[in-house]
Each structure stands twice: as structure tokens, then as C-alpha cells.
Amino acid sequence: MKTLALILALSVPSLVAAGSAQAACYADYKAKQDDPLRLHYGVAELRGACSDKAAKAELQTRLADQGWTLLNVVSVFDDSGLNKRKASAGPYFLRF
């Protein structure tokens, strides 16, 4: 019984740490296309590191592949900020 309690005590912190390491990360951003000028605000899930710098590098590539230029990364956030940005992003919500 003591062995089982010890195993559980050692396992739980590891599971909590693993779960938080896999938390989703998102960025909201502004982008443009030229000729004619088009602007959009969007939200994207990040695949790499969860930082402004990583978001900028990742989104520049993804957007450029579709003919868009990244203007700026507004913020980087987790699941808790996702729903409040959905209406503002419209068709660009998790598109890129």
C-alpha cells in the first residue's frame, strides 16, 4: 500500500507538468495584401514555441505562402483568450 502511494505521489507532478507543456498556444495578428490593398485581423494556432518572436517567424511564412504580408503580432495567448477573439477574426479565425 505504501508503495502504491509513493508511485502515485511521484507520478502526479509528472503528469501535471506534461499536460501544461502541451498547452495550446495562439497568436492574433494583422496582415495585408497589396494591389488592391486588403487588410485582415486573424487568429492562428502556433505549432512552435509560444512567444512573440516565434509567432512572428512562423506566421510570416504561413501568410506569405498565401500571398499575405504579416504587419504585426498583436499578442500570444492560451486557450483562455481564444473565444473572445473569434468574432473579431471572422473568416481568419484559425485559418492560417
Side-chain angles (χ1 to χ4, degrees), residues 34-86:
D34 291 320
D35 203 18
L37 179 64
R38 293 176 44 192
L39 303 170
H40 86 253
Y41 165 82
V43 173
E45 183 171 10
L46 300 177
R47 299 175 189 135
C50 193
S51 70
D52 287 336
K53 185 177 179 180
K56 183 177 179 182
E58 188 174 330
L59 289 173
Q60 279 178 329
T61 303
R62 276 200 238 169
L63 291 165
D65 289 345
Q66 300 297 316
W68 292 92
T69 301
L70 178 68
L71 295 173
N72 69 312
V73 172
V74 178
S75 63
V76 175
F77 55 94
D78 62 13
D79 290 323
S80 65
L82 195 58
N83 286 333
K84 68 181 179 182
R85 291 169 172 89
K86 187 173 184 175

Side-chain angles (χ1 to χ4, degrees), residues 19-41:
S20 63
Q22 296 174 356
C25 181
Y26 304 91
D28 55 345
Y29 63 90
K30 294 179 182 177
K32 73 170 187 162
Q33 279 184 332
D34 291 320
D35 203 18
L37 179 64
R38 293 176 44 192
L39 303 170
H40 86 253
Y41 165 82

